[in-house]
Amino acid sequence: MTGTSETGQALETPFDLAGKRVFVAGHTGMVGSAIVRRLMSEDCEILTVPSRELDLRRQADVENWMSEMRPNVVFLAAARVGGILANSTRPAEFLFDNLMIESNVIHSAYQSPVDKLVFLGSTCIYPKMTSQPIREESLLSGPLEPTNQWYALAKISGIKLCEAYRLQYGCDFISAQPTNLYGPGDNYDLQSSHVLPALLRKAHEAKTSGRDFLEVWGDGSPLREFLHVDDLADAVVFLAKRYSDPMPVNVGTGKEISIRQLAELICDIVGFEGELAFDASKPNGTPRKLTDTSRLTALGWAECRSLAYGLRETYRDAFLENSCGVRTS
Ligand code: GFB
């Protein structure tokens, strides 16, 4: 099917992944590894490269690798990521690393040339205070949340790079904005992790060590939306095939939960019966971040796991079965 985008650009949908050489940048991370798992059911050749062999922050190396490997499709999931503490205490890394990775991969994808590129952003690109649920049109309509402004600015640049290369060179580069993610391959290091893996680990350790409280950062009031990473991977592969437009697409569940409720749910799943102890010296971050997913659902995609189901599965399969989140490689 051929159509026209909001900017008048010709669209080619559905885009066929069959027989294509598909590069997943960031394949060892939580998102990249989920995309690789999802692509295994597509009739395509998956290309990956470990970071010790290719540092995506180095322009010449990326250009050489891309011109040698000639991928037809790129999923750009490589990024410096982390939770609220890592974001606010390592601003240079979050800004510099992400800007370099995006610039190098997107520019060399244009040079190669790559037929389709899917850039993975984040819902933290949206203003701290904006109408909820958040529509894609809210981008750049107000100030960012200070705790993750560095990461957000880099991700906004990635979205704009995709848009710019589409406008100037006609590249079919799109971007998806995932809400807060969880699932296999998550980071359980308490200094750099996101809230969900941190609370799973802390609740598990509190239970096994007989402690009577679980420390929860902030006051428990912030609202967040959580999406299983395998559902995200399904959505981005869906978008690669069905979407061709400069407007980013939110990927979420459209359902929110407070941090207090999340902590209670995790305690229930883990079987920890102690009290919640809120640490107000830690930041709350953005008060609410619920995505409007109507652009994605109008295309025909539906998220499948409930949070309670996905959390049980993650605790059992990704945490307990995997040395309680301790990475062995
Ligand atoms: O997941 P998180 O680190 O990041 O924190 P954001 C979410 C909320 O959970 C904050 C609270 O209000 C935290 O204070 N929280 C409670 C905890 N206990 C804990 C804990 O033990 N560890 C952590 N980490 N948080 C991230 C951005 O924002 O969202 C990233 O920093 C990214 O850049 C990601 O965009 C999607 O949800 O606030």
Side-chain angles (χ1 to χ4, degrees):
M1 190 180 85
T2 310
T4 312
S5 76
E6 287 165 15
T7 55
Q9 181 150 1
L11 305 180
E12 219 181 273
T13 51
F15 179 84
D16 198 357
L17 288 171
K20 301 274 165 61
R21 289 164 64 77
V22 182
F23 173 36
V24 180
H27 73 288
T28 56
M30 177 167 73
V31 173
S33 55
I35 293 173
V36 168
R37 280 196 296 282
R38 173 61 187 79
L39 286 173
M40 288 191 174
S41 55
E42 299 290 325
D43 181 21
C44 63
E45 185 185 350
I46 302 169
L47 307 177
T48 58
V49 57
S51 55
R52 64 177 180 280
E53 282 174 33
L54 177 65
D55 184 339
L56 294 172
R57 294 169 300 183
R58 303 183 71 89
Q59 185 177 17
D61 295 353
V62 175
E63 286 180 358
N64 290 339
W65 191 88
M66 291 285 279
S67 70
E68 194 182 320
M69 300 306 287
R70 298 243 162 243
N72 310 109
V73 181
V74 173
F75 286 89
L76 180 38
R80 167 78 57 199
V81 295
I84 195 164
L85 192 64
N87 266 268
S88 51
T89 54
R90 291 156 49 195
E93 277 173 68
F94 278 81
L95 186 54
F96 176 81
D97 289 353
N98 287 312
L99 283 174
M100 296 306 285
I101 292 168
E102 294 158 13
S103 303
N104 294 338
V105 175
I106 291 171
H107 186 67
S108 60
Y110 148 67
Q111 287 176 319
S112 277
V114 157
D115 300 330
K116 185 106 195 184
L117 179 143
V118 183
F119 172 67
L120 275 293
S122 164
T123 51
C124 72
I125 56 164
Y126 295 118
K128 174 172 183 162
M129 296 300 178
T130 188
S131 57
Q132 309 274 336
I134 310 173
R135 289 170 55 84
E136 290 86 350
E137 288 80 358
S138 304
L139 183 62
L140 293 172
S141 61
L144 297 166
E145 154 61 30
T147 53
N148 57 31
Q149 59 176 311
W150 321 100
Y151 180 75
L153 270 171
K155 289 293 181 184
I156 292 169
S157 301
I159 295 164
K160 288 294 173 188
L161 276 171
C162 291
E163 194 180 328
Y165 280 76
R166 173 180 287 273
L167 274 174
Q168 188 171 347
Y169 305 123
C171 299
D172 191 358
F173 295 173
I174 63 171
S175 65
Q177 311 314 315
T179 191
N180 289 38
L181 300 169
Y182 70 99
D186 213 339
N187 169 20
Y188 289 90
D189 170 65
L190 297 180
Q191 292 308 303
S192 57
S193 64
H194 289 96
V195 60
L196 192 150
L199 292 183
L200 260 187
R201 177 174 172 180
K202 289 199 277 192
H204 176 82
E205 289 178 355
K207 180 187 156 189
T208 50
S209 65
R211 221 169 305 135
D212 58 2
F213 70 93
L214 166 66
E215 184 200 78
V216 182
W217 294 356
D219 64 13
S221 69
L223 294 158
R224 293 289 185 273
E225 178 187 6
F226 295 95
L227 176 72
H228 193 281
V229 71
D230 285 331
D231 293 330
L232 169 76
D234 190 60
V236 296
V237 170
F238 174 89
L239 286 170
K241 294 182 191 174
R242 303 290 184 84
Y243 193 73
S244 178
D245 198 275
M247 184 61 86
V249 183
N250 290 338
V251 185
T253 64
K255 299 182 190 90
E256 63 188 345
I257 181 172
S258 72
I259 297 302
R260 174 189 286 275
Q261 289 169 320
L262 175 73
E264 289 167 352
L265 180 60
I266 286 176
C267 289
D268 186 39
I269 287 167
V270 169
F272 171 69
E273 293 177 345
E275 300 291 315
L276 301 181
F278 290 96
D279 177 359
S281 72
K282 295 286 195 310
N284 270 337
T286 197
R288 192 178 178 203
K289 200 167 56 163
L290 178 65
T291 54
D292 181 326
T293 55
S294 50
R295 189 174 293 269
L296 177 61
T297 51
L299 291 166
W301 187 83
E303 173 260 338
C304 31
R305 284 172 188 75
S306 71
L307 177 59
Y309 178 87
L311 257 174
R312 279 201 175 81
E313 190 185 51
T314 301
Y315 181 55
R316 188 190 60 225
D317 301 343
F319 185 81
L320 291 179
E321 290 295 312
N322 193 20
S323 316
C324 295
V326 178
R327 285 173 192 242
T328 49
S329 60

